[in-house]
Amino acid sequence: MVFEACTGCYEDVVRAEANGANRIELCDNLMEGGTTPSYGTIKKTIENINLPINVIIRPRGGNFIYSNVEKEIMYIDIEMCKNLGVNAIVIGALTKSGKIDSDFIKKVKEVSGDLNITFHMAFDEVMDKKSAIDELVELGIDRILTKGGDISALNNLDTLKELIEYAGDRIIIIPGAGINKGNRDLVIEKTKAKEIHGTKIV
Protein backbone atom coordinates (compact mmCIF):
# COMPACT_ATOMS: atom_id res chain seq x y z
CA MET A 1 0.00 0.00 0.00
CA VAL A 2 1.31 3.43 -0.96
CA PHE A 3 0.20 6.41 1.12
CA GLU A 4 0.85 9.48 -1.04
CA ALA A 5 0.84 12.67 1.04
CA CYS A 6 -0.33 15.80 -0.74
CA THR A 7 1.73 18.70 0.65
CA GLY A 8 1.55 22.47 0.25
CA CYS A 9 4.98 23.49 1.54
CA TYR A 10 8.31 22.09 2.69
CA GLU A 11 7.18 21.87 6.34
CA ASP A 12 4.23 19.69 5.26
CA VAL A 13 6.68 17.33 3.55
CA VAL A 14 8.85 16.98 6.66
CA ARG A 15 5.74 16.22 8.72
CA ALA A 16 4.42 13.68 6.21
CA GLU A 17 7.74 11.83 6.08
CA ALA A 18 7.86 11.67 9.89
CA ASN A 19 4.28 10.35 9.98
CA GLY A 20 5.01 7.47 7.61
CA ALA A 21 4.09 8.64 4.10
CA ASN A 22 5.48 6.49 1.28
CA ARG A 23 5.50 9.19 -1.39
CA ILE A 24 5.03 12.95 -1.64
CA GLU A 25 2.98 15.05 -4.02
CA LEU A 26 4.61 18.48 -3.75
CA CYS A 27 2.40 21.50 -4.48
CA ASP A 28 1.97 25.17 -3.73
CA ASN A 29 -1.40 26.92 -3.23
CA LEU A 30 -3.47 23.96 -2.05
CA MET A 31 -6.48 26.27 -1.67
CA GLU A 32 -6.36 26.56 -5.48
CA GLY A 33 -6.15 22.79 -5.84
CA GLY A 34 -2.35 22.89 -6.12
CA THR A 35 0.02 24.79 -8.39
CA THR A 36 3.68 24.32 -9.31
CA PRO A 37 5.97 24.90 -6.30
CA SER A 38 9.05 27.09 -6.54
CA TYR A 39 12.47 25.92 -7.70
CA GLY A 40 13.78 26.43 -4.16
CA THR A 41 11.02 24.34 -2.57
CA ILE A 42 11.55 21.49 -5.02
CA LYS A 43 15.35 21.57 -4.64
CA LYS A 44 15.21 21.67 -0.83
CA THR A 45 12.75 18.78 -0.76
CA ILE A 46 14.80 16.61 -3.14
CA GLU A 47 17.96 17.25 -1.13
CA ASN A 48 16.50 16.53 2.31
CA ILE A 49 13.62 14.07 2.00
CA ASN A 50 14.21 10.34 1.49
CA LEU A 51 10.96 9.64 -0.35
CA PRO A 52 9.89 9.71 -4.00
CA ILE A 53 8.84 13.29 -4.80
CA ASN A 54 6.08 13.88 -7.34
CA VAL A 55 5.71 17.53 -8.35
CA ILE A 56 2.52 19.09 -9.66
CA ILE A 57 2.89 21.04 -12.91
CA ARG A 58 0.05 23.55 -12.97
CA PRO A 59 0.63 27.24 -13.69
CA ARG A 60 -2.57 28.52 -12.06
CA GLY A 61 -5.79 27.55 -10.33
CA GLY A 62 -9.08 27.41 -12.19
CA ASN A 63 -9.91 25.25 -15.16
CA PHE A 64 -7.66 22.79 -17.00
CA ILE A 65 -7.91 24.36 -20.46
CA TYR A 66 -4.53 25.97 -21.08
CA SER A 67 -3.28 28.55 -23.56
CA ASN A 68 -0.19 27.92 -25.67
CA VAL A 69 1.80 30.27 -23.42
CA GLU A 70 0.72 28.34 -20.31
CA LYS A 71 1.74 25.10 -22.00
CA GLU A 72 5.18 26.53 -22.79
CA ILE A 73 5.55 27.48 -19.12
CA MET A 74 4.66 23.91 -18.11
CA TYR A 75 7.25 22.44 -20.49
CA ILE A 76 9.91 24.67 -18.86
CA ASP A 77 8.77 23.58 -15.39
CA ILE A 78 8.95 19.93 -16.45
CA GLU A 79 12.55 20.47 -17.61
CA MET A 80 13.33 22.05 -14.23
CA CYS A 81 11.87 19.05 -12.39
CA LYS A 82 13.76 16.63 -14.61
CA ASN A 83 17.04 18.45 -13.93
CA LEU A 84 16.39 18.46 -10.17
CA GLY A 85 15.78 14.71 -10.15
CA VAL A 86 12.14 14.41 -9.09
CA ASN A 87 10.43 11.02 -9.17
CA ALA A 88 7.42 12.10 -11.23
CA ILE A 89 5.31 14.97 -12.44
CA VAL A 90 1.59 15.37 -11.82
CA ILE A 91 -0.20 17.09 -14.68
CA GLY A 92 -3.48 17.24 -16.56
CA ALA A 93 -5.18 19.22 -19.32
CA LEU A 94 -8.51 19.16 -21.11
CA THR A 95 -9.86 20.41 -24.40
CA LYS A 96 -12.75 22.89 -24.59
CA SER A 97 -15.02 19.91 -25.28
CA GLY A 98 -14.05 18.35 -21.93
CA LYS A 99 -11.81 15.58 -23.25
CA ILE A 100 -8.17 14.73 -22.54
CA ASP A 101 -5.88 17.20 -24.33
CA SER A 102 -3.99 14.35 -25.95
CA ASP A 103 -1.75 16.50 -28.17
CA PHE A 104 -0.48 18.35 -25.10
CA ILE A 105 -0.02 15.14 -23.09
CA LYS A 106 1.97 13.60 -25.98
CA LYS A 107 4.32 16.60 -25.87
CA VAL A 108 4.49 16.38 -22.05
CA LYS A 109 5.52 12.73 -22.38
CA GLU A 110 8.23 13.72 -24.85
CA VAL A 111 9.58 16.54 -22.65
CA SER A 112 9.41 14.39 -19.49
CA GLY A 113 11.71 11.68 -20.81
CA ASP A 114 11.90 8.86 -18.25
CA LEU A 115 9.91 10.64 -15.54
CA ASN A 116 6.80 8.93 -14.19
CA ILE A 117 3.60 10.85 -14.99
CA THR A 118 0.39 11.07 -12.96
CA PHE A 119 -2.66 12.57 -14.67
CA HIS A 120 -4.36 14.59 -11.93
CA MET A 121 -7.98 15.34 -11.03
CA ALA A 122 -8.69 17.09 -14.32
CA PHE A 123 -9.73 13.50 -15.05
CA ASP A 124 -12.84 14.00 -12.88
CA GLU A 125 -14.25 16.52 -15.37
CA VAL A 126 -14.19 14.00 -18.24
CA MET A 127 -17.62 12.42 -18.86
CA ASP A 128 -16.51 9.09 -20.34
CA LYS A 129 -13.96 8.00 -17.75
CA LYS A 130 -13.36 4.52 -19.15
CA SER A 131 -12.50 5.91 -22.58
CA ALA A 132 -10.22 8.42 -20.84
CA ILE A 133 -8.47 5.57 -19.04
CA ASP A 134 -7.92 3.82 -22.39
CA GLU A 135 -6.56 7.04 -23.89
CA LEU A 136 -4.15 7.70 -21.00
CA VAL A 137 -2.91 4.11 -21.16
CA GLU A 138 -2.25 4.60 -24.88
CA LEU A 139 -0.38 7.84 -24.11
CA GLY A 140 1.92 6.01 -21.68
CA ILE A 141 0.72 7.68 -18.47
CA ASP A 142 1.55 5.79 -15.26
CA ARG A 143 -1.22 6.87 -12.87
CA ILE A 144 -4.54 8.66 -12.63
CA LEU A 145 -5.44 10.62 -9.50
CA THR A 146 -9.22 10.80 -9.13
CA LYS A 147 -12.07 11.20 -6.68
CA GLY A 148 -14.25 9.20 -9.07
CA GLY A 149 -16.80 12.00 -9.57
CA ASP A 150 -17.98 15.02 -7.58
CA ILE A 151 -17.26 16.19 -4.02
CA SER A 152 -14.89 13.54 -2.59
CA ALA A 153 -13.69 9.97 -3.01
CA LEU A 154 -15.97 8.89 -0.15
CA ASN A 155 -19.00 9.85 -2.26
CA ASN A 156 -17.81 7.69 -5.17
CA LEU A 157 -16.46 4.45 -3.71
CA ASP A 158 -18.43 2.19 -6.07
CA THR A 159 -17.29 4.20 -9.11
CA LEU A 160 -13.68 4.13 -7.92
CA LYS A 161 -13.83 0.35 -7.47
CA GLU A 162 -15.23 0.02 -10.99
CA LEU A 163 -12.52 2.26 -12.47
CA ILE A 164 -9.77 0.36 -10.62
CA GLU A 165 -11.14 -2.95 -11.92
CA TYR A 166 -11.42 -1.54 -15.45
CA ALA A 167 -7.86 -0.20 -15.41
CA GLY A 168 -6.47 -3.51 -14.15
CA ASP A 169 -2.70 -3.70 -14.49
CA ARG A 170 -2.64 -1.20 -17.37
CA ILE A 171 -2.53 1.98 -15.25
CA ILE A 172 -2.73 2.78 -11.52
CA ILE A 173 -5.85 4.54 -10.26
CA ILE A 174 -5.22 6.56 -7.07
CA PRO A 175 -8.30 7.60 -5.10
CA GLY A 176 -7.94 11.07 -3.55
CA ALA A 177 -9.96 13.94 -2.04
CA GLY A 178 -11.44 13.59 1.42
CA ILE A 179 -9.34 10.56 2.36
CA ASN A 180 -7.54 10.75 5.69
CA LYS A 181 -5.89 8.54 8.29
CA GLY A 182 -9.27 7.83 9.89
CA ASN A 183 -11.13 6.63 6.78
CA ARG A 184 -8.35 5.35 4.54
CA ASP A 185 -8.88 1.69 5.56
CA LEU A 186 -12.53 1.91 4.50
CA VAL A 187 -11.53 3.35 1.12
CA ILE A 188 -8.93 0.62 0.60
CA GLU A 189 -11.41 -2.11 1.57
CA LYS A 190 -14.22 -0.78 -0.64
CA THR A 191 -12.18 0.10 -3.74
CA LYS A 192 -9.25 -2.37 -3.56
CA ALA A 193 -6.91 0.53 -4.33
CA LYS A 194 -3.19 -0.14 -4.01
CA GLU A 195 -2.28 3.56 -3.66
CA ILE A 196 -4.24 6.38 -1.99
CA HIS A 197 -3.72 10.11 -1.73
CA GLY A 198 -4.57 12.97 0.63
CA THR A 199 -3.35 15.93 2.64
CA LYS A 200 -4.06 14.02 5.90
CA ILE A 201 -3.39 10.50 4.66
CA VAL A 202 -0.80 9.87 7.43
Side-chain angles (χ1 to χ4, degrees), residues 13-135:
V13 179
V14 172
R15 201 158 36 244
E17 183 181 39
N19 288 341
N22 305 111
R23 188 171 66 222
I24 299 297
E25 183 189 85
L26 184 61
C27 308
D28 197 1
N29 295 313
L30 286 181
M31 295 296 287
E32 291 277 358
T35 57
T36 308
S38 72
Y39 175 91
T41 300
I42 300 168
K43 187 171 190 291
K44 181 82 170 167
T45 303
I46 294 291
E47 288 174 350
N48 292 283
I49 301 297
N50 295 312
L51 292 173
I53 307 299
N54 295 4
V55 175
I56 194 166
I57 305 293
R58 189 175 175 221
R60 57 164 171 79
N63 67 32
F64 303 107
I65 302 163
Y66 296 111
S67 69
N68 288 335
V69 171
E70 288 172 327
K71 290 175 180 179
E72 289 296 333
I73 288 168
M74 287 192 273
Y75 300 144
I76 293 166
D77 283 339
I78 292 167
E79 289 284 3
M80 170 185 71
C81 287
K82 196 163 63 171
N83 292 338
L84 285 171
V86 307
N87 175 66
I89 58 163
V90 182
I91 197 165
L94 304 176
T95 65
K96 288 178 181 175
S97 59
K99 296 184 177 176
I100 304 292
D101 188 342
S102 56
D103 289 340
F104 172 63
I105 297 300
K106 280 176 192 167
K107 177 70 173 176
V108 164
K109 183 77 178 163
E110 185 184 311
V111 174
S112 300
D114 294 332
L115 286 181
N116 246 249
I117 302 175
T118 298
F119 193 94
H120 61 44
M121 289 183 184
F123 178 84
D124 293 331
E125 298 186 14
V126 177
M127 291 300 294
D128 188 344
K129 291 179 171 50
K130 288 182 178 176
S131 291
I133 288 172
D134 294 339
E135 190 171 357

